[in-house]
Structures are given as C-alpha cells and as structure tokens.
Amino acid sequence: MKLKTMTAGLALATAFGAGAALAADDTLDIVFINDGHVAPYHVAWLTGFEDAIAAYDKAFEDVKVSGRWLSAEGSLEKMIQQTEVTINERPDVMFVNAINVDAFEPLVAKAQAEGITWIAVHSPMESADYSFTLGDVANGTNQGMAMCALSKGEPFKVGVMLGQAGNPSGEARREGILKGIATCDNVEVVAEQPADWDTVKAQTIAENWFTQYPDLNAISGVTDAYMYPSIAIATNAGNTDIQFYGYDGDIPIIQQMESGQVMADILLSGTREGWNFVQMAYRIHKGETPEKVYDFFTPLVLTEENHKIALEHGFPEDVQVYYVPQALEVAAKGYLEFGPDSVK
Amino acid sequence: MSNRIDMKGITKSFFATKALDNVDFSCHASEVHALVGLNGAGKSTLMKVLGGIYSSDEGTIEVDGAAVTIKTPVDADNAGISMIHQELSLINELTVAGNIFLGRELKRAGTPFLDKREMARRVKAELDRFGLMLDPNMPVRELNSGEKQIVEIIRALMSNSWLIVMDEPTSALSEEDKERLFGFIERMKQEGIAIIYISHHMPEIFGIAERVTVMRDGEIVLSERIAETSEPAVIRSMTGRELAHFEKPHKEIAGEPLLTVDALSKPGSFEDVSFEVRPGEIVVLTGLRGCGAPELAKSVFGLDGDYTGTVSYLGSPLVPGRGPAVAVREGMGLVTENRDKNGILPALSVRDNIALPFLEKALRGGVLSRGHIEAVVDKAIRDTSTKTSSPDQEIRFLSGGNKQKICFSRWLDDDLKLLILLEPTRGIDVHAKADIYRIIEDLAGRGVGVLLLSYEIDEVTMLADRVITMYQGKSIARYNYPEFDKDQMLADMAGARI
Amino acid sequence: MMTSTATLASGTPKKAIDSLMLRYLVLIGLIVIASVGFSIANENFYSLTNIGILLRSIAVLFLLAMGMTFIMLTGGIDLSIGSNVAFSGAVGVLTLVTTGSAALGFATSILAGMLIGGINGFFIGRLKLSPFMVSLATYALARGLALVLYDANSINVDNAAFLWLGGVSWGNMPVVIPFVALVFIALSVLLYQTPFGRDVYAAGANANTAFVLGRRPERTLVWVYVLSGALAGLSAIITVGRVSSGQPWAGLYLEFDAITAVILGGTSLFGGRGKLLGTILGVLLYGIIINGLVLTGTNPYLQSLIKGLILLGVVLLDTLTQKGKAA
C-alpha cells in the first residue's frame, strides 16, 4: 500500500518533470513562497495565483508561463529551506512572503547571483529587486477614520483584534487603525488583543469581550478571518447593534455590508493579489520596470449610503472608496484588473 | 461410569511442531481428573482445543457420546464447558453478583432497571448450596485471589456449566484459601460436576483427584486411577527420569551476623520482630498471606522506611528508607515476588536484565567493557542453567522458570553478601524449582546470607537452616534445622497452639 | 515444503530480536526508492548543492530527534523542544548582544536549554507527573519566555563566530554536518557504553524493576530531559546561524518532526526499545521526502497527506511484524 503511494507520487513527479522538459523558447517561471496555505485569505490568494498562471500561459503564445507555490506553514526554518531549494531550481521570479525579512538577506543575494528576480511580499526589503506592499498603515488609517465618521460623534467603544505578536503586517495595520481612530475623540479603544490570525482564537476573544464589555459598539480586526466568528457570536446573541470593521476584502464579509452590521472593509482580496503577482512578473519579464516599492491598490469598501453619511461626518473626500457591487465584482474576478488584457 | 466428555485422537501442529499428537482424554461426572506435565508438554494446548480457542487438525470431541463441534469459545460455553483462567477475568468495580450476572443481567419486570436484589438472592442461594461464605453485594476489588476464583467458578456454574477446567488454581492461594477451594471442589463433585484440574502439586493431586493423566511432548505418557499409581511414578513420567530428591547439603554456619533486625515494627504490617542472619545461613520467614513477612523483608532491603526499631547490616545500623540503590551497593540483593511488576525488564535482553545491578563494576576507562559484561552474563546463565537462545534474546520470550532464574542470576556477584527472596518458586514448574533450590544452597555454601519468604511448607522445611513463623505481623516461634515440626509450624501460622 | 517450514519455525525466536534490523533495512530501502524517484523527477536532486541544502535543513532535526530518542526510550515525550529552541536562542542572542562574547552566548544558550529540560525532568522524574502534561506546559512556557525576551521582535546577529556553526559551508558541505556526526558518536557512546545509557533503557522497560535493582530511574529521567534541553540549546545556536538572527518563532512544530522521525526510526512509544541509528535513518528519510516534495513541486495540500501515509504505513508494518512474532 505504501509502495503504491510512492509510485503514485513518482508518476506525479515524473509528470512535472516532463512538463518542464517541454518548455517553449521564451519561458517565465514564477515561484511564490508563502507563510501559510490554509487561512481563507491564503486559499483565495494561492488560487488566484494559480488561475493567473494558467490564464497568462494560455493568452500569450510566445511565452511559456509556469509557476507554483510553496507553503512554509508558519515555520521560518521551513521557509528558508524551501527558498534554498527553489533558488537551486533557478526560476525567473520569486515572490517571498518572508516570515522575517532579516533572515532572508543572505538568500536574496544568492538568488540575485543566480539571475532570479526577488520580489519581497508585504514587508519591503531594501536588497530585493522589488517589494510588493499593501500600504497597511494607510489602509488601517482609512478603516479607523471610517469608524470615526460612522460613529457620528456619539460615544463609541471598540475592541481591536491584532495579528501575531511581532508580525510586521499586523503591527502596521494596528498602527494605522489606531491612527485613524485618533482623528476623533469620541471613539475609545477598550481592548486590544492578538488573535494570531486564528479564527478559533478570535472566537474566544469575541466571546470574552461580549461578556466583559456589554456596551461594546464595534469590533475592529486586522483580518477578515476574525470577522466570521465575531459576527456569528453577535448574531446568536441577538445583538444587532454592534458594528464590524474588517480588513482583507473577503467576499462573504463584503456581502454582509448591504444587509448586516459590517460597516467597512479594506479590499485586498486574495484573488486580486494572486492575479496582481503574475501581472507584475509578466511586466518585469517584458522589460517594464515597476516602482521598486510597488503598492497594491487596496481601496476602502463602504455602502454608497454609508459613504454619504461618512462624508457628512467629516470623512475626507480624497480617500478612494469602492461601493459594494464594484468591490464584489473585482474581488471575485482578479482578471478584470490584472488579467492578460491589462498588459496587452 | 460413562464419560461426559470424550476427546479422541486430538492432533494439533504449529508450523512443523506437533503440539498434540493423537491425544485421548476424557472426564466423568463427579470426577476430578488431574492433568499434569511440565511447561510445554501440551496440557494448555489440549485445554485450548476443548475451550474453542484453537481448533484441532484431527480428532473428535463427544459430549455424552454425541459428537459436538467446538470452534469458538462461545461453542464451548454453549456446550457447558468453562475455563477458569490463571489471569482472573473479573471486573473489580462490580459486585460479586454483578460479575456473575455480567452480560445477562436480570431486569425488574417491564423496566430497563437492574433487579439487583433478585440477582444477589440467586447468587446467595448458589453460594449456600456449596457451603461458601461470601457476600454477593461486596465489590470484587475487596476480595482476595482465592475468593475471586470462587466467584469465577460460581459464575460458570450459574451459566449451566457441567465441566470446569482449572489451570493451576492454587498458585496464588494461601493455605487457608486452598483448603476452602478443595472443600468447594468436593461439593461440586457431589453435585455431579466434572472437573479437569491442571497442576504441578503432587499432594494436591493425590488429595483430590480420581484420575491423573500425564502429558509429555504432546503425548499422553500415563493415565491411571489415583489409587493405582504413586507420586514418584507420576513425577518420573513427567520428566522421563526420577526427580532426585533435593538433599540439603551439610554446612557449618559461623561468624558474626550479617544482618541484625531488632524490635522492628510498622503499624498494620509487622510488630516487634527480631532476628539475625549469619553468613551462609538460610533464614525462612513463613506464615499465611497477610502475615506481614513480605513488608518486613522489603523494609530490610530499604524499599520502605516507615518503621521503628533498627536494622543493622555488617555491624552498623541502616538509615530507614535509604532506597535500594544503597542496599545494592553494599551487597544486598532482592528477588521480588511479582516478576512482571518489578522483577524483569520485559523489553530488554537477557544480558541487560542480568547485568543491570552491577554495571559500575564493568566500567573500564569510563565506558562499559563488553568483554566483562559478556563474561559475567555467560557465567550467570551457565550457573543457573537458564535456557535462552542467546543473551541477546528479549527476556519476555522466556518461560516463567527461566525468567525467575534470571532474577536470581543477576545477583550472583562476588560481592553479594545478603540475598532476600520473596516466594522464589511461585508459578514455576517442578523442574525449574529444583534448579532454584540448588542455586540457593550454592549461594549459602559460598557464605551468602539468605532471607527467604515462602508460603509452601514443604519448601520451607526443605531449605531452611532456621524458620521463623509469623502470624498477623508478629513472629510466633523459631525452629532450627533439623528440628522442624510441620504440624506445629502450620498451627503457628494459623494462630493456633497445639 | 516440510523442511522449509521447519527452518522457518526454528528461525522464529531469532527474528524477534532482529525486528529492529528489519526496520532499518526497510528504511534504507525507502530512502533509496525515494532518492531514485525524486532524481528521476528532477535531475537537480542529486546535485551537490541540493544535498548540501538537504543536510543543512535537517541538521537541527538530527540533534533534536536524537534527544527525543533518549526520552522515548524512557517511555516519555518532550513537546517543549521546539519552543525551547526559541527560548534558549533568545538567551544566547541577548547574551551575545549585551556582552559581545560568542563563547558566553553559546554557553548561556545551552544552559538555558538545560534549564527548561531540568524543569521537565524535575516534574517528570521527581514528582512523577505525566511527560505529556509537563512538556505541554513547558512548550507554552518556553515560547512565552522567548516572546517576552525578544519583545516579539527578531534580533539581527552579525557576530561571525556565533553564526559559524549554523551558517558556514565548506564548499557544499555545511560545517554543521560533521558536527552532528560528532554529536551522534558522543551520544552513541553515552547510550551504549555507559551505565547511564543502560539506565535509560531500564527506566523505559520497567522503572519499578530498575529501582528494585538499585538503579535510580527517577534521576535518570531528570538527566534525560536535561540532555534533550541541552540539544535544544545547541540547535538554537545552529538555527541562529542559519537565519543570521534570533527569532521568537524559531523551532515552530519541530517537536512533531522529531517525534515523527523517531517513530519512523523504530523506537517504541512505550520505551525500552530503539536505537540512535534508526533515528538517523528516520530523519534522513523524512528530510529526503520533504526536500523531494518541494523539488517536484508537489501540491502542498498533498504533501501533508503523503507524510501521513508514510507514517501510517510504517506503523502498519510494525503491527504486521509484531503479529508475525506472536504466531
């Protein structure tokens, strides 16, 4: 039985090898090394990436576009090993979502010596060829300011769920949210707690908060992963007044904006980001030079009605906002913004 | 009288080994049929065929003259055949009645609730029928092993068994419980029950059995009515040779005491016990189970420090509860009564099992000398005639007797001065017993002092230079070789005076 | 026919002691099959660079799994080693940063590892608590301490001496590999050639008996956990060298990798049975599979499945050989 598995694995492996051997003259090989692969955002992200690879390969006959992704499952050591193995494989472009950027400095040099374009994901790296960043502080600020405006000057209590301690992305989002909230003085942050990007931990925290602060007005989070359990607990408790401020642009969360209590979200959308990666790699391959620090376009999402209310309560007019229908459309269809048509 | 059970031409092979070769065996109603043989002679295999655990390659089984098929233990149950095993299969947390009715509980009419009162009443009636005193409502946890065995037998009888197979039923019983069991067996005979009785103990067999059958190497070598044979004849047919009667060698015991126990007391275990052990002397503690002797021996060894009084060893008093590590370093050894619990290391090789206590002596330049260990282990195996395919063999694959020899052989070190033995021949066959007796005498001959605990009166008188009888934690009397009065000793143990 | 079964039957008792040998042959077989398979799929597998990467990536696992072997031989388990790598690394790196002395950094890292091991050992050996419970507690404790010490941020390390062991390669050979070999030899001597080593087996096979025979199993347990902690401290130094920084999340999930490798290597979960050689083979097989799955671009969702199947297969194999023995 075990032998059969091995043989199956071999057959699979051989198929991959054969695929590589059939490559066309001009090839673009992209590897994406991520820190995880099971969170809803990760799944959308990796799926978007896979779909984009296939779409680009199909759309352009002169370039053979191939790619794959790896997951370090949260372990820095594993990520370093995967990166080392990948460099040895000499792909054209590597996207690396480093768990800790300092640890990767020696590897960036190694990759560049092999002629690989290194794109640092989320946390910028000076030495990398490019950095693909999210503008986390600015996004967080937008979320915080939206909360200020939608609280309409009333006394307002909020709990903020943070990322894993020490994680740069989480820290930046927190900084932004607090900065946005600080623009008004009626909103009070009554609790802050890290939930380690973990839905289950978020559930426990939300339960505690609802007990501890019965007059809580809102829950803000640095990821939509925290919204699912929080919303469910509030709904089950019959609490229809509490508001939710999300981050990530998960489609099910945006869908709850028109009807429910989700007030604002930041439209990252894993699917979009995956497509954006492949578009960026393709552009570089074709000789374009994007900004060295490339900011992923991540608008604030509100309902049209709420946007109006917000503007009336001092929300800045220059902040770019997508309304729900548009946000849903681009979130699901990464190709609308970043597909092969966008670079033809 | 006609046979109730009749096994004919039973043959059973494992790989190329014939475990049973054309064996005939039968039993009447109201009969105890003793089945004897050394370990590996085939008696267990034969009984497993009868119990449906193995199916035979050839042969037939008839009940009251009609052929039956016994392929599974359930078939055997349905046929009225019950095995009482050495490993008791009762559930400690249930009561006596709860165990007896396990799986076929009585319910109060029309309800799903247990009718505990009726179950207890029926068990009580059955116990009364056999003249047994036992409370049906007592949890089995509180029973001793003799009482547990009775519960198992009653359970079998109450599920309409007419044939009871007992495998070494007395191996874990005190003299008192043995007597009660024999009484019970007599009553069962009167009630028409047939009993197959597997044992090594000649006095038991000649005391209660009507017939005796001896197996050797998978065949029947002797099958006689008890009245027409004798103990020596049975033993001769078991081993194929006459078992040389063990003769205690003559020796002089002299010198300062190795061990002096003075007014040792531990509440609930033993009280004000004093004795000495000199080099080369075999001092035997004996009594009934619960007499406090094992606790006493363990306190001497340092396993238990919760006592008052003094234990002096080699002239200086020992610190109570100092632990076995100190005892071993100073030349004391202990063979425990429970091999599996704290006598052997099952996963380890024979070599490791032997070499463990004196490892530090094998150090050469900071590392263990393999040569030294080999020499010690080879000698230990040879001196105790232990049967093992190699010192690398894991000890768990050895027979009980050979395991016990290893428990001895590990102490055969030149620096050993005092060896404490708790029931050294429990659960092993006659053959291995004789070897163990010889080892004990050899050790004494070398000047090692031996403190031995035994519940078997014949063993006590055979080995001892001095006997101390104990009853309820007190030492009753002491006897010096050769003035041993067995009747008086038994009376001491039972707390009686003749 | 008759004679052949007869030989088989007479050979049966010997088989029992050789079951470990059988396991090692199976492991070697699997290693060969996996290597051949992966090299067919990707010619890079046999490149010296890749072998260097492979060995370096499992260096830490070699050390931790050897420590885990000692512990599992006593019938215990140590879930704290991964967290301990982060904690002892924090102590070492902070010492290095404050004193500037690499030697002091090494020493405090190993001592910090031994401290966590000592806590495990005290509770498990002396107070006789369950190894699973105790090391689950220290698993959380050590990770928490690491986060507090690092203030949840990583610390860059550029001291060449401190980074040497984990970071430097001679050509394609990482210096850590000969070092691991030396540790393997030292631990083999400790396990097979000293009374302590025999006591480790005895404590796992039957601690009651060992106690009666004048050994001190409770003391043995304490030292076994201290040893495992020391190896975690050593692993921390190597990890810091590998990532040229001290990381609060270092060593994540390494305890599971180590336990998997030890079980693959044939060490019994119930103690008393197993050898370091098996663990080495187990780590090697595990490392080759991980490396090969990355090289062949196997879907990460599938990777977990394959790992699980291999482990199940080996457990099944154990059961089958065990049954063969009983017959």
Side-chain angles (χ1 to χ4, degrees):
Chain A
M1 182 205 131
K2 194 168 34 177
L3 207 68
K4 264 189 194 159
T5 320
M6 287 305 302
T7 338
L10 284 187
L12 197 90
T14 319
F16 267 92
L22 283 174
D25 288 351
D26 188 11
T27 59
L28 169 58
D29 189 24
I30 313 166
V31 177
F32 173 20
I33 299 175
N34 206 350
D35 59 348
H37 66 292
V38 291
Y41 189 87
H42 281 133
V43 174
W45 195 358
L46 299 167
T47 314
F49 177 75
E50 281 176 355
D51 292 348
I53 296 275
Y56 273 76
D57 189 38
K58 205 172 154 214
F60 301 104
E61 286 190 348
D62 55 330
V63 189
K64 161 92 194 133
V65 183
S66 60
R68 61 203 151 93
W69 56 267
L70 302 166
S71 162
E73 297 169 59
S75 156
L76 178 64
E77 292 95 315
K78 211 169 261 179
M79 185 172 262
I80 287 181
Q81 185 207 349
Q82 291 173 341
T83 308
E84 283 176 343
V85 173
T86 307
I87 292 171
N88 198 30
E89 288 285 284
R90 295 183 198 83
D92 298 297
V93 181
M94 285 173 70
F95 287 88
V96 181
N97 185 9
I99 290 174
N100 180 288
V101 288
D102 299 330
F104 283 82
E105 290 293 350
L107 291 172
V108 172
K110 221 178 193 177
Q112 286 166 339
E114 297 285 353
I116 302 168
T117 305
W118 182 293
I119 302 176
V121 173
H122 295 187
S123 313
M125 286 177 85
E126 190 56 40
S127 55
D129 297 273
Y130 301 97
S131 294
F132 186 102
T133 59
L134 296 176
D136 278 318
V137 178
N139 290 337
T141 311
N142 287 345
Q143 193 210 64
M145 289 195 301
M147 194 186 303
C148 270
L150 294 172
S151 64
K152 304 170 195 166
E154 306 281 332
F156 196 83
K157 288 182 178 168
V158 62
V160 185
M161 283 194 212
L162 311 176
Q164 200 169 38
N167 177 283
S169 223
E171 296 292 341
R173 291 177 193 187
R174 168 178 182 263
E175 186 192 331
I177 292 171
L178 296 181
K179 202 168 132 193
I181 290 173
T183 58
C184 60
D185 36 11
N186 62 311
V187 178
E188 183 197 351
V189 177
V190 291
E192 277 188 78
Q193 213 163 316
D196 301 355
W197 310 111
D198 182 345
T199 317
V200 179
K201 278 186 190 153
Q203 174 168 6
T204 316
I205 293 171
E207 276 165 355
N208 288 342
W209 283 354
F210 285 135
T211 324
Q212 222 173 327
Y213 312 103
D215 52 349
L216 195 70
N217 296 97
I219 287 181
S220 153
V222 297
T223 168
D224 278 348
Y226 300 163
M227 295 297 119
Y228 301 97
S230 307
I231 293 171
I233 290 167
T235 311
N236 289 339
N239 184 343
T240 52
D241 295 330
I242 196 155
Q243 303 179 351
F244 298 96
Y245 291 83
Y247 197 121
D248 278 353
D250 279 12
I251 290 170
I253 299 298
I254 300 177
Q255 278 168 341
Q256 298 199 41
M257 276 191 173
E258 296 281 14
S259 57
Q261 295 148 263
V262 180
M263 305 304 282
D265 203 358
I266 307 296
L267 180 63
L268 269 65
S269 162
T271 315
R272 290 176 73 234
E273 193 174 2
W275 278 87
N276 199 167
F277 276 14
V278 179
Q279 187 220 42
M280 184 177 178
Y282 185 81
R283 284 170 60 201
I284 294 167
H285 184 73
K286 284 293 170 188
E288 283 185 48
T289 44
E291 295 279 316
K292 189 166 160 43
V293 178
Y294 175 97
D295 254 338
F296 184 36
F297 171 59
T298 50
L300 180 71
V301 185
L302 298 171
T303 60
E304 196 170 352
E305 194 189 337
N306 276 341
H307 190 211
K308 270 185 202 138
I309 298 172
L311 289 173
E312 282 163 21
H313 288 85
F315 189 72
E317 293 193 17
D318 58 344
V319 174
Q320 192 151 12
V321 172
Y322 273 21
Y323 297 145
V324 172
Q326 186 189 6
L328 283 175
E329 175 109 48
V330 298
K333 301 172 182 169
Y335 57 85
L336 289 178
E337 294 165 285
F338 308 110
D341 291 339
S342 67
V343 291
K344 262 183 183 162
Chain B
M1 203 183 290
S2 65
N3 290 333
R4 289 220 62 188
I5 188 92
D6 213 343
M7 303 174 79
K8 287 181 185 161
I10 304 289
T11 298
K12 173 77 188 168
S13 300
F14 295 109
F15 298 109
T17 318
K18 271 200 172 164
L20 296 174
D21 192 1
N22 197 22
V23 172
D24 294 339
F25 189 81
S26 62
C27 195
H28 305 163
S30 300
E31 178 189 51
V32 173
H33 190 162
L35 181 58
V36 299
L38 296 178
N39 290 339
K43 18 182 233 300
S44 298
T45 311
L46 182 65
M47 288 304 113
K48 282 177 178 167
V49 168
L50 183 60
I53 295 164
Y54 294 154
S55 52
S56 61
D57 302 338
E58 286 166 42
T60 57
I61 302 176
E62 288 173 13
V63 172
D64 296 329
V68 292
T69 314
I70 297 177
K71 291 264 180 228
T72 66
V74 178
D75 292 342
D77 250 11
N78 292 340
I81 299 165
S82 276
M83 308 273 160
I84 308 298
H85 292 286
Q86 272 173 324
E87 306 85 26
L88 303 167
S89 58
L90 299 177
I91 296 171
N92 271 327
E93 302 313 312
L94 294 181
T95 62
V96 169
N99 267 288
I100 287 173
F101 278 96
L102 191 67
R104 50 195 177 89
E105 288 84 355
L106 302 178
K107 308 232 163 72
R108 266 182 264 165
T111 73
F113 303 110
L114 299 180
D115 192 345
K116 290 192 178 168
R117 192 171 302 167
E118 176 61 13
M119 287 193 278
R121 196 192 61 74
R122 290 200 200 175
V123 169
K124 182 92 181 82
E126 188 75 3
L127 287 167
D128 287 347
R129 183 153 80 102
F130 292 100
L132 294 165
M133 298 285 285
L134 206 58
D135 178 1
N137 292 316
M138 193 184 268
V140 159
R141 152 167 42 84
E142 290 173 22
L143 303 183
N144 70 27
S145 38
E147 290 165 329
K148 286 182 184 176
Q149 201 165 43
I150 285 170
V151 173
E152 286 229 14
I153 298 170
I154 292 287
R155 177 163 73 183
L157 295 175
M158 288 187 74
S159 57
N160 297 321
S161 291
W162 49 265
L163 175 64
I164 303 286
V165 181
M166 290 191 230
D167 192 355
E168 289 285 352
T170 58
S171 64
L173 299 194
S174 63
E175 290 294 335
E176 208 178 359
D177 287 334
K178 275 184 204 172
E179 286 311 316
R180 178 159 63 170
L181 178 69
F182 295 149
F184 185 23
I185 290 174
E186 281 303 323
R187 294 293 285 266
M188 283 197 279
K189 274 200 261 184
Q190 290 166 18
E191 299 281 334
I193 304 292
I195 293 162
I196 299 175
Y197 190 95
I198 303 177
S199 178
H200 301 123
H201 296 274
M202 290 307 130
E204 286 175 17
I205 292 165
F206 282 82
I208 60 167
E210 274 69 34
R211 266 200 291 174
V212 58
T213 292
V214 180
M215 292 188 73
R216 194 170 76 215
D217 301 331
E219 293 175 49
I220 304 282
V221 288
L222 178 143
S223 191
E224 295 277 4
R225 301 202 60 74
I226 281 291
E228 286 150 20
T229 185
S230 65
E231 288 192 27
V234 169
I235 289 178
R236 194 166 50 239
S237 63
M238 276 165 76
T239 58
R241 63 187 163 89
E242 188 113 27
L243 186 66
H245 183 67
F246 180 79
E247 285 290 350
K248 190 169 171 62
H250 179 77
K251 65 187 171 196
E252 288 293 330
I253 297 159
E256 288 298 304
L258 273 172
L259 178 80
T260 310
V261 172
D262 186 27
L264 214 60
S265 296
K266 183 186 172 197
S269 295
F270 47 84
E271 199 183 322
D272 194 24
V273 181
S274 304
F275 62 89
E276 290 176 346
V277 180
R278 286 174 292 168
E281 187 178 31
I282 302 175
V283 175
V284 179
L285 301 173
T286 187
L288 301 179
R289 271 171 210 283
C291 67
E295 290 82 2
L296 177 66
K298 284 175 188 171
S299 291
V300 169
F301 189 62
L303 277 174
D304 192 345
D306 212 5
Y307 60 78
T308 57
T310 51
V311 178
S312 301
Y313 178 62
L314 303 175
S316 47
L318 294 174
V319 182
R322 69 214 169 279
V326 179
V328 172
R329 203 171 55 215
E330 292 174 357
M332 260 196 226
L334 173 71
V335 176
T336 60
E337 73 276 41
N338 192 334
R339 264 197 311 275
D340 292 324
K341 183 171 167 249
N342 53 17
I344 61 163
L345 303 120
L348 299 193
S349 64
V350 166
R351 176 189 299 113
D352 279 337
N353 266 282
I354 293 175
L356 206 55
F358 297 107
L359 276 178
E360 277 73 13
K361 286 186 157 188
L363 283 176
R364 299 287 178 276
V367 297
L368 294 172
S369 152
R370 189 152 176 103
H372 177 88
I373 290 179
E374 289 300 333
V376 167
V377 169
D378 286 348
K379 182 170 182 301
I381 292 175
R382 213 172 39 242
D383 286 358
T384 53
S385 36
T386 303
K387 288 195 188 62
T388 171
S389 61
S390 108
D392 291 320
Q393 175 85 325
E394 285 181 27
I395 194 171
R396 65 199 167 109
F397 295 112
L398 267 50
S399 70
N402 282 313
K403 282 182 192 160
Q404 186 69 356
K405 286 179 184 174
I406 285 172
C407 291
F408 270 83
S409 67
R410 58 164 71 115
W411 298 114
L412 303 183
D413 183 275
D414 293 338
D415 289 341
L416 183 74
K417 296 187 184 70
L418 177 70
L419 188 58
I420 301 173
L421 305 169
L422 305 179
E423 301 183 60
T425 58
R426 178 172 169 179
I428 61 179
D429 66 41
V430 275
H431 214 61
K433 261 187 194 178
D435 282 338
I436 299 263
Y437 295 152
R438 189 179 51 73
I439 300 166
I440 295 173
E441 283 297 349
D442 282 353
L443 280 168
R446 271 170 37 190
V448 173
V450 176
L451 178 62
L452 188 149
L453 163 72
S454 174
Y455 295 117
E456 287 186 39
I457 190 75
D458 292 328
E459 184 170 288
V460 171
T461 52
M462 196 188 294
L463 285 170
D465 294 312
R466 191 137 47 94
V467 175
I468 299 170
T469 50
M470 290 187 69
Y471 177 68
Q472 291 188 345
K474 295 195 185 81
S475 64
I476 302 300
R478 48 200 66 204
Y479 303 83
N480 290 320
Y481 178 81
E483 287 124 23
F484 294 147
D485 179 344
K486 284 192 197 181
D487 292 340
Q488 183 59 51
M489 285 180 189
L490 288 169
D492 291 350
M493 294 180 208
R497 279 272 153 199
I498 303 177
Chain C
M1 177 68 212
M2 200 59 213
T3 30
S4 73
T5 42
T7 342
L8 201 109
S10 65
T12 309
K14 240 189 137 66
K15 255 189 191 164
I17 45 163
D18 287 342
S19 68
L20 271 179
M21 208 32 102
L22 177 71
R23 162 64 72 94
Y24 300 156
L25 290 176
V26 168
L27 281 175
I28 292 170
L30 284 174
I31 288 172
V32 170
I33 291 171
S35 309
V36 170
F38 287 132
S39 58
I40 291 170
N42 188 325
E43 71 277 16
N44 253 341
F45 182 82
Y46 270 136
S47 70
L48 284 176
T49 326
N50 187 51
I51 292 173
I53 291 171
L54 166 66
L55 288 176
R56 191 208 285 248
S57 70
I58 53 178
V60 162
L61 193 55
F62 274 127
L63 296 184
L64 294 176
M66 284 194 277
M68 189 68 83
T69 309
F70 275 75
I71 284 174
M72 288 174 63
L73 281 174
T74 67
I77 201 156
D78 186 351
L79 300 176
S80 70
I81 50 175
S83 304
N84 200 356
V85 167
F87 166 69
S88 46
V91 174
V93 166
L94 289 176
T95 311
L96 176 74
V97 170
T98 26
T99 66
S101 156
L104 263 182
F106 286 144
T108 51
S109 178
I110 292 172
L111 284 174
M114 290 167 79
L115 173 73
I116 297 291
I119 294 174
N120 284 332
F122 176 77
F123 280 93
I124 295 164
R126 294 286 170 183
L127 304 186
K128 305 204 183 327
L129 297 178
S130 131
F132 188 89
M133 268 169 45
V134 172
S135 67
L136 193 64
T138 47
Y139 156 87
L141 179 84
R143 180 68 66 191
L145 282 173
L147 283 165
V148 169
L149 286 175
Y150 278 120
D151 197 15
N153 288 310
S154 62
I155 296 176
N156 278 340
V157 174
D158 50 13
N159 181 308
F162 202 89
L163 299 181
W164 183 79
L165 187 57
V168 174
S169 290
W170 294 319
N172 281 314
M173 169 61 83
V175 294
V176 65
I177 289 305
F179 177 75
V180 166
L182 287 177
V183 174
F184 170 67
I185 292 169
L187 290 180
S188 297
V189 171
L190 183 65
L191 187 57
Y192 307 127
Q193 309 280 334
T194 67
F196 173 76
R198 300 290 88 192
D199 281 340
V200 168
Y201 281 96
N206 188 338
N208 287 327
T209 305
F211 180 68
V212 168
L213 296 188
R215 313 312 297 180
R216 300 181 191 274
E218 68 286 7
R219 207 178 275 184
T220 306
L221 283 187
V222 175
W223 285 112
V224 160
Y225 284 90
V226 169
L227 173 70
S228 169
L231 287 166
L234 210 51
S235 301
I237 296 167
I238 295 167
T239 306
V240 170
R242 185 161 155 72
V243 304
S244 30
S245 56
Q247 299 285 347
W249 293 100
L252 203 60
Y253 308 136
L254 272 180
E255 57 280 352
F256 294 108
D257 292 348
I259 292 168
T260 307
V262 173
I263 292 175
L264 277 177
T267 297
S268 160
L269 269 173
F270 307 105
R273 231 175 263 128
K275 285 199 155 64
L276 284 174
L277 176 64
T279 298
I280 295 294
L281 293 174
V283 172
L284 213 51
L285 177 63
Y286 191 72
I288 286 174
I289 289 168
I290 302 290
N291 179 275
L293 291 176
V294 174
L295 266 185
T296 50
T298 307
N299 184 319
Y301 297 110
L302 208 65
Q303 290 187 13
S304 214
L305 187 85
I306 292 173
K307 277 187 260 176
L309 283 176
I310 288 169
L311 201 54
L312 262 186
V314 171
V315 175
L316 194 71
L317 186 84
D318 266 0
T319 322
L320 291 180
T321 48
Q322 212 71 27
K323 270 196 189 138
K325 253 181 282 176

